[in-house]
Amino acid sequence: MIRLDNISKQNGHQILFIEASMGIQKGEKVGLVGPNGAGKTTLFRMITGQEQPDDGLVAIDPGMRIGYFSQDVGEMSGQSAVAAVMDGVGPVSALAAEMAKLEAAMVDPDQADQLDAVMERYGEVLERFQELDGYALEARAREVLAGLSFSQERMDGDVGMLSGGWKMRVALARILLMRPDGMLLDEPSNHLDLESLIWLEAFLKNYDGALLMTSHDRAFMNRIIGKVVEIDAGTLISYSGDLDFYDQQRALGEAQRQAQYERQQAMLAKEIKFIEKFKARASHAAQVQSRVKKLDKIERVEAPRRRQSVQFEFQSPPRSGEDVISLRNVHKGYGARPIYEGLDFLVRRKERWCVLGANGAGKSTLLKLVAGDTKPDQGAVNVGASVKMGYFAQHSMDLLDGEETIFESLERSFPQAGQGSLRTLAGCFGFSGDDVEKPCRVLSGGEKARLVMAKMLFDPPNLLVLDEPTNHLDMVTKEMLVKALADFEGTMLFVSHDRHFLAALSNRVLELTPEGVHQYGGGYTEYVARTGQEAPGLHPGA
């Protein structure tokens, strides 16, 4: 269905692909992996024809429809979310919009003299709308939006009023409603809550076309894909299986290449030693020449490229009292909508609470109450003795000074720290070499998140309050963070849609549901086993 044959591509001085090849067949679900900047988005754009390879061929089956979801959603406004989603399918949305205008014209006294013409046109538009199965399409559009956690109010509201994250969901819903022959999904799991993620996972499992996707969410990818294509130094390498199998095969291949390299290095050293020892002796001249020629002909084995990953190590935080946070009879609402009515909740030292609940259940509100970012309408929130809190929220990234470089930002936060330790800290969070000289205003969302996280963890708090800390992080940084937090000696309260993060780090679950607040001993894995669901209100296969 989709084939790339010997493609080469260069962006400026950067060579992205050198005679690289891959193929995707109908029904194949493929995960595309590679470090940031390796060319994943460029690959998508070449398949859709938005960019051309410098050399080689991109072949798509004739008549094949491809839907491409990217992080650049463009401008959306002036129509409802439902209409914007239906737009992707063709003329149905335009017909629906015209029907709405004609319906308004029918009851407009200023247009009463044109009523016959309006009604005649309405009949024509309605007939065409029904021919295209418009009512069924609208129902399907609403179903997809509901799966992505849209309320009815949000579906019918102006899409232009939505935040960037919700517009991303509209753009994703357009592709899903199209049901094209092939789907290219560039980070579809970004900006989704856990419930939407689980719904999308089920949708993509049942999709029977060709799928090529990237995602920083390991659990999400693993449950969908059956093949991995890796971009590695300009080549495309295919592996059958999921990410776990890919990791095993990659490690095995690296170990084999390392052994092969070391064997050759030992042989070369032996030959060179012989040549050096006997090159001045006439009696060994023929042997020396023979070995020099042999060395010239040997094809050198390259040492395998080692992926750089620096691990962050926590300093021990100061010990807090046993009762870290207590909420007593807390009431909190927004306008007429109550969020909490008499909440009692106690966090004790070394507990790691993950907070689960659907959109609007009050997850972020709870974290804001604990962090002091918002006050309860009634009741008390008490922070225990000797508690030193680190709070990560999405707005934390807006507080960075855009004119400062990464290094200046770290220096201002920790004036007593030496340059060496700050550079090591920056390296742990993916800023190596000249990266530390980048001004904060040019950083991507992921880079800002990494910098904020570095600042929060360097002078360690003993209570971490984290609201979606992995939202913008790539898989490598996420894994580093999970390993670092697993060794954290303090207390945690966090919200995350990443199931690997939830399972690895929680030992308590606070579940927020319309029926009430439930507390579970044991972490997320035990919660899933006990309730039979991965998120509140979602049952297996839902």
Side-chain angles (χ1 to χ4, degrees), residues 76-81 154 156-162:
M76 292 182 185
S77 62
Q79 58 184 158
S80 69
R154 208 170 240 143
D156 294 317
D158 185 343
V159 73
M161 303 303 289
L162 297 176

PDB file of all heavy atoms in Angstrom, residues 76-81 154 156-162:
ATOM      1  N   MET A  76      -8.888  27.113  13.383  1.00  0.00           N
ATOM      2  CA  MET A  76     -10.250  26.573  13.425  1.00  0.00           C
ATOM      3  C   MET A  76     -11.124  27.598  14.130  1.00  0.00           C
ATOM      4  O   MET A  76     -10.824  28.004  15.239  1.00  0.00           O
ATOM      5  CB  MET A  76     -10.307  25.278  14.251  1.00  0.00           C
ATOM      6  CG  MET A  76      -9.608  24.082  13.675  1.00  0.00           C
ATOM      7  SD  MET A  76      -9.858  22.662  14.773  1.00  0.00           S
ATOM      8  CE  MET A  76      -8.846  21.445  13.966  1.00  0.00           C
ATOM      9  N   SER A  77     -12.204  28.008  13.492  1.00  0.00           N
ATOM     10  CA  SER A  77     -13.173  28.879  14.169  1.00  0.00           C
ATOM     11  C   SER A  77     -14.387  29.055  13.263  1.00  0.00           C
ATOM     12  O   SER A  77     -14.360  28.689  12.081  1.00  0.00           O
ATOM     13  CB  SER A  77     -12.562  30.251  14.480  1.00  0.00           C
ATOM     14  OG  SER A  77     -12.197  30.914  13.292  1.00  0.00           O
ATOM     15  N   GLY A  78     -15.451  29.595  13.858  1.00  0.00           N
ATOM     16  CA  GLY A  78     -16.644  29.914  13.074  1.00  0.00           C
ATOM     17  C   GLY A  78     -17.570  28.740  12.815  1.00  0.00           C
ATOM     18  O   GLY A  78     -18.525  28.869  12.060  1.00  0.00           O
ATOM     19  N   GLN A  79     -17.297  27.568  13.413  1.00  0.00           N
ATOM     20  CA  GLN A  79     -18.198  26.433  13.260  1.00  0.00           C
ATOM     21  C   GLN A  79     -18.119  25.588  14.530  1.00  0.00           C
ATOM     22  O   GLN A  79     -17.217  25.746  15.338  1.00  0.00           O
ATOM     23  CB  GLN A  79     -17.841  25.592  12.032  1.00  0.00           C
ATOM     24  CG  GLN A  79     -16.444  25.056  12.025  1.00  0.00           C
ATOM     25  CD  GLN A  79     -16.082  24.297  10.742  1.00  0.00           C
ATOM     26  OE1 GLN A  79     -14.924  24.167  10.423  1.00  0.00           O
ATOM     27  NE2 GLN A  79     -17.036  23.801  10.012  1.00  0.00           N
ATOM     28  N   SER A  80     -19.087  24.704  14.684  1.00  0.00           N
ATOM     29  CA  SER A  80     -19.081  23.852  15.871  1.00  0.00           C
ATOM     30  C   SER A  80     -18.020  22.766  15.716  1.00  0.00           C
ATOM     31  O   SER A  80     -17.552  22.488  14.615  1.00  0.00           O
ATOM     32  CB  SER A  80     -20.455  23.207  16.065  1.00  0.00           C
ATOM     33  OG  SER A  80     -20.678  22.248  15.034  1.00  0.00           O
ATOM     34  N   ALA A  81     -17.665  22.132  16.842  1.00  0.00           N
ATOM     35  CA  ALA A  81     -16.695  21.040  16.802  1.00  0.00           C
ATOM     36  C   ALA A  81     -17.214  19.902  15.923  1.00  0.00           C
ATOM     37  O   ALA A  81     -16.461  19.305  15.150  1.00  0.00           O
ATOM     38  CB  ALA A  81     -16.408  20.546  18.219  1.00  0.00           C
ATOM     39  N   ARG A 154     -19.565  21.093  24.525  1.00  0.00           N
ATOM     40  CA  ARG A 154     -18.316  21.367  23.819  1.00  0.00           C
ATOM     41  C   ARG A 154     -18.428  20.981  22.343  1.00  0.00           C
ATOM     42  O   ARG A 154     -17.836  21.627  21.482  1.00  0.00           O
ATOM     43  CB  ARG A 154     -17.189  20.585  24.487  1.00  0.00           C
ATOM     44  CG  ARG A 154     -15.835  21.245  24.346  1.00  0.00           C
ATOM     45  CD  ARG A 154     -14.798  20.583  25.226  1.00  0.00           C
ATOM     46  NE  ARG A 154     -14.216  21.501  26.179  1.00  0.00           N
ATOM     47  CZ  ARG A 154     -13.873  21.187  27.405  1.00  0.00           C
ATOM     48  NH1 ARG A 154     -14.073  19.963  27.850  1.00  0.00           N
ATOM     49  NH2 ARG A 154     -13.343  22.060  28.220  1.00  0.00           N
ATOM     50  N   ASP A 156     -21.035  21.224  20.452  1.00  0.00           N
ATOM     51  CA  ASP A 156     -21.867  22.190  19.714  1.00  0.00           C
ATOM     52  C   ASP A 156     -21.353  23.615  19.807  1.00  0.00           C
ATOM     53  O   ASP A 156     -21.860  24.508  19.129  1.00  0.00           O
ATOM     54  CB  ASP A 156     -23.317  22.122  20.227  1.00  0.00           C
ATOM     55  CG  ASP A 156     -23.960  20.775  19.903  1.00  0.00           C
ATOM     56  OD1 ASP A 156     -23.778  20.300  18.768  1.00  0.00           O
ATOM     57  OD2 ASP A 156     -24.614  20.198  20.786  1.00  0.00           O
ATOM     58  N   GLY A 157     -20.335  23.839  20.660  1.00  0.00           N
ATOM     59  CA  GLY A 157     -19.776  25.186  20.798  1.00  0.00           C
ATOM     60  C   GLY A 157     -18.817  25.515  19.663  1.00  0.00           C
ATOM     61  O   GLY A 157     -18.384  24.634  18.911  1.00  0.00           O
ATOM     62  N   ASP A 158     -18.458  26.804  19.545  1.00  0.00           N
ATOM     63  CA  ASP A 158     -17.538  27.268  18.495  1.00  0.00           C
ATOM     64  C   ASP A 158     -16.156  26.655  18.743  1.00  0.00           C
ATOM     65  O   ASP A 158     -15.572  26.821  19.810  1.00  0.00           O
ATOM     66  CB  ASP A 158     -17.449  28.800  18.524  1.00  0.00           C
ATOM     67  CG  ASP A 158     -16.601  29.362  17.380  1.00  0.00           C
ATOM     68  OD1 ASP A 158     -15.828  28.598  16.757  1.00  0.00           O
ATOM     69  OD2 ASP A 158     -16.706  30.568  17.107  1.00  0.00           O
ATOM     70  N   VAL A 159     -15.659  25.982  17.721  1.00  0.00           N
ATOM     71  CA  VAL A 159     -14.361  25.304  17.857  1.00  0.00           C
ATOM     72  C   VAL A 159     -13.234  26.314  18.080  1.00  0.00           C
ATOM     73  O   VAL A 159     -12.218  26.003  18.692  1.00  0.00           O
ATOM     74  CB  VAL A 159     -14.105  24.410  16.617  1.00  0.00           C
ATOM     75  CG1 VAL A 159     -13.763  25.224  15.398  1.00  0.00           C
ATOM     76  CG2 VAL A 159     -13.026  23.383  16.881  1.00  0.00           C
ATOM     77  N   GLY A 160     -13.446  27.549  17.617  1.00  0.00           N
ATOM     78  CA  GLY A 160     -12.434  28.594  17.795  1.00  0.00           C
ATOM     79  C   GLY A 160     -12.215  28.979  19.242  1.00  0.00           C
ATOM     80  O   GLY A 160     -11.180  29.542  19.597  1.00  0.00           O
ATOM     81  N   MET A 161     -13.185  28.681  20.109  1.00  0.00           N
ATOM     82  CA  MET A 161     -13.069  29.033  21.523  1.00  0.00           C
ATOM     83  C   MET A 161     -12.329  27.963  22.326  1.00  0.00           C
ATOM     84  O   MET A 161     -12.050  28.137  23.501  1.00  0.00           O
ATOM     85  CB  MET A 161     -14.476  29.226  22.145  1.00  0.00           C
ATOM     86  CG  MET A 161     -15.329  30.267  21.443  1.00  0.00           C
ATOM     87  SD  MET A 161     -14.524  31.888  21.380  1.00  0.00           S
ATOM     88  CE  MET A 161     -14.644  32.350  23.111  1.00  0.00           C
ATOM     89  N   LEU A 162     -12.021  26.833  21.697  1.00  0.00           N
ATOM     90  CA  LEU A 162     -11.356  25.734  22.407  1.00  0.00           C
ATOM     91  C   LEU A 162      -9.869  26.016  22.602  1.00  0.00           C
ATOM     92  O   LEU A 162      -9.260  26.737  21.812  1.00  0.00           O
ATOM     93  CB  LEU A 162     -11.516  24.418  21.630  1.00  0.00           C
ATOM     94  CG  LEU A 162     -12.940  23.888  21.443  1.00  0.00           C
ATOM     95  CD1 LEU A 162     -12.924  22.642  20.564  1.00  0.00           C
ATOM     96  CD2 LEU A 162     -13.594  23.582  22.785  1.00  0.00           C
TER      97      LEU A 162
END
